[in-house]
Amino acid sequence: MKVYITGCRGQLGFDLLDVLKGKHELAGGDLPELDIADASSLATALDAFRPDVIINAAAFTRVDACETERDAAHRANAVGPRLLAEYTERCGALLVHVSTDYVFDGRRPVPQPYVETDPVGPTSAYGITKVEGEKAVAAATRRFAILRTAWLYGVHGNNFLKTMLRLSLQGKALKVVNDQHGSPTWSWRLARQIDKVIDHGARGLYHATAEGHCTWFELARYFLERMGVPHKLSPCGTEEYPTPARRPANSILENAALKRAGLNVMAPWAEDVDEFVKRYRERLLDEAGRAK
C-alpha cells in the first residue's frame, strides 16, 4: 500500500518510517513544507502521492504552550485532522489519527483505567483541541482509526526520559511528580500497533498504550537504573511542580477495543523500557552528553 505520514520528522513519525519501510511505499511531510491545516499545502502533497493510508502523526504537543498559543494548537490539532479526514473521504483512503489521554479529566480513582466508551472531559487547551480533532475526523469520514496514546517516548526528538537522563548526568537533584499515573508508551511500539491496524483495515476508536502503569517518579527511577546512571531523584506532589496546563492525575488507558478485535500488540511498560535501553543505551548517553 501507499502510506503517507504527516509529522514524519517527529518522534512517532521517525519510528513509523522505520517500522513500515520495505513493507509499504512510503512518503511523508512535516513543517515547514507541509502544513496540515492548510488545504492547499495538503492537496499539493497528497495529490502527487495518491495514498491508500494517511497516518496523522502531526500535532501541537507542547501542552503548556497550548494554553497561550490556542490558535496554533487549534489549527494543528483540530483543523488539520478535519482537512485530512475530508481528503480521505474524497479519495477513499484510510486515515489513522493519533490522539491522547488528555481528552479525559484524569479524576478517576487509580488504578481504574479509561476505556474507549468513557465520556471525554478535557481540562487543558491541549486536551480540548485534541477532542475537537477527534470529533472533526469522525464527522467528516467513516474511513478512520483514532488511536489514543499516552506518555510517549522514543529515541528521536525530545521527551521526559531524555530530560531525566541529561539532568542526572549533570548531577542535578531532581524532584519528580509521584501522584500522576499513566502508561509510558514507546513510540516504536505504537508504530508497530499502527502497522497492525493498517494491515487489518481496522476502523473506529482505540486506546493504544503500554500495559500497566506507574508514576513519573517511578518511570524516571526505573529508566535511570536500567541505564546504570547515578541519580538524585526525590518524589513530589503535583502541587510542588505547578504548570500552566493541568495534567491528568490518572492517565491510565485500557486497550479494550484492540483486545476485543485481537489486534493488541502493546507490551508491559517496563519490558519496553528494558528493550529501549538495550537498543539505544550508548546512543542515548552520547546524545545526552553532547547536550550538557
Side-chain angles (χ1 to χ4, degrees), residues 56-174:
N56 182 31
F60 192 125
T61 58
R62 292 181 290 121
V63 175
D64 290 326
C66 286
E67 297 296 320
T68 54
E69 300 177 47
R70 295 195 174 212
D71 287 345
H74 176 75
R75 277 178 51 80
N77 297 340
V79 176
R82 173 178 61 80
L83 293 177
L84 286 167
E86 290 172 351
Y87 186 92
T88 57
E89 181 67 12
R90 290 196 303 272
C91 73
L94 172 69
L95 174 63
V96 179
H97 174 63
V98 180
S99 193
T100 175
D101 57 297
Y102 276 73
V103 301
F104 298 111
D105 63 19
R107 295 189 174 98
R108 178 165 290 180
V110 174
Q112 186 179 352
Y114 289 92
V115 297
E116 291 85 351
T117 53
D118 285 325
V120 297
T123 59
S124 66
Y126 173 63
I128 290 168
T129 59
K130 292 299 284 187
V131 167
E132 290 172 343
E134 288 187 5
K135 290 181 177 179
V137 167
T141 184
R142 287 191 241 176
R143 307 177 63 85
F144 72 86
I146 295 172
L147 276 69
R148 292 176 180 152
T149 195
W151 291 28
L152 213 60
Y153 67 90
V155 72
H156 183 74
N158 299 315
N159 55 62
F160 172 76
L161 294 186
K162 288 187 175 185
T163 298
M164 292 295 101
L165 177 61
R166 175 174 51 81
L167 295 177
S168 293
L169 287 173
Q170 294 171 4
K172 294 189 177 181
L174 303 171

Side-chain angles (χ1 to χ4, degrees), residues 3 11 30 51 74 78 89 102 150 194 204 253 256 266 275-276:
V3 178
Q11 181 170 250
D30 210 328
H74 176 75
E89 181 67 12
Y102 276 73
I194 291 172
L253 306 184
M266 307 306 283
E275 181 62 26
F276 178 66

Side-chain angles (χ1 to χ4, degrees), residues 8-281:
C8 66
R9 289 193 289 273
Q11 181 170 250
L12 176 58
F14 178 87
D15 282 328
L16 281 165
L17 289 171
D18 178 59
V19 167
L20 299 176
K21 68 184 178 185
K23 184 174 181 179
H24 301 288
E25 184 180 346
L26 301 178
D30 210 328
L31 291 171
E33 76 277 3
L34 175 69
D35 178 0
I36 64 168
D38 183 289
S40 176
S41 177
L42 268 185
T44 298
L46 297 176
D47 286 349
F49 186 62
R50 301 180 63 83
D52 302 299
V53 177
I54 300 170
I55 304 173
N56 182 31
F60 192 125
T61 58
R62 292 181 290 121
V63 175
D64 290 326
C66 286
E67 297 296 320
T68 54
E69 300 177 47
R70 295 195 174 212
D71 287 345
H74 176 75
R75 277 178 51 80
N77 297 340
V79 176
R82 173 178 61 80
L83 293 177
L84 286 167
E86 290 172 351
Y87 186 92
T88 57
E89 181 67 12
R90 290 196 303 272
C91 73
L94 172 69
L95 174 63
V96 179
H97 174 63
V98 180
S99 193
T100 175
D101 57 297
Y102 276 73
V103 301
F104 298 111
D105 63 19
R107 295 189 174 98
R108 178 165 290 180
V110 174
Q112 186 179 352
Y114 289 92
V115 297
E116 291 85 351
T117 53
D118 285 325
V120 297
T123 59
S124 66
Y126 173 63
I128 290 168
T129 59
K130 292 299 284 187
V131 167
E132 290 172 343
E134 288 187 5
K135 290 181 177 179
V137 167
T141 184
R142 287 191 241 176
R143 307 177 63 85
F144 72 86
I146 295 172
L147 276 69
R148 292 176 180 152
T149 195
W151 291 28
L152 213 60
Y153 67 90
V155 72
H156 183 74
N158 299 315
N159 55 62
F160 172 76
L161 294 186
K162 288 187 175 185
T163 298
M164 292 295 101
L165 177 61
R166 175 174 51 81
L167 295 177
S168 293
L169 287 173
Q170 294 171 4
K172 294 189 177 181
L174 303 171
K175 285 188 175 182
V176 185
V177 172
N178 198 39
D179 58 0
Q180 295 173 17
H181 299 257
S183 303
T185 303
W186 185 10
S187 52
W188 179 85
R189 180 72 63 182
L190 178 59
R192 284 197 59 215
Q193 184 65 74
I194 291 172
D195 184 31
K196 186 85 167 181
V197 165
I198 290 171
D199 279 349
H200 288 263
R203 300 183 186 186
L205 175 63
Y206 301 92
H207 288 174
T209 63
E211 301 291 338
H213 63 89
C214 63
T215 68
W216 290 111
F217 170 76
E218 290 167 342
L219 172 59
R221 181 176 60 185
Y222 187 89
F223 170 65
L224 292 170
E225 287 175 353
R226 292 303 183 274
M227 288 289 293
V229 171
H231 52 82
K232 302 172 185 176
L233 302 181
S234 59
C236 72
T238 298
E239 71 280 356
E240 298 178 67
Y241 192 79
T243 55
R246 180 184 175 275
R247 266 67 174 171
N250 181 350
S251 285
I252 306 167
L253 306 184
E254 170 61 27
N255 304 334
L258 287 174
K259 290 173 181 176
R260 282 197 305 270
L263 298 177
N264 186 52
V265 303
M266 307 306 283
W269 71 265
E271 290 184 13
D272 268 353
V273 171
D274 289 348
E275 181 62 26
F276 178 66
V277 169
K278 180 180 177 182
R279 288 191 195 183
Y280 298 117
R281 181 176 182 275

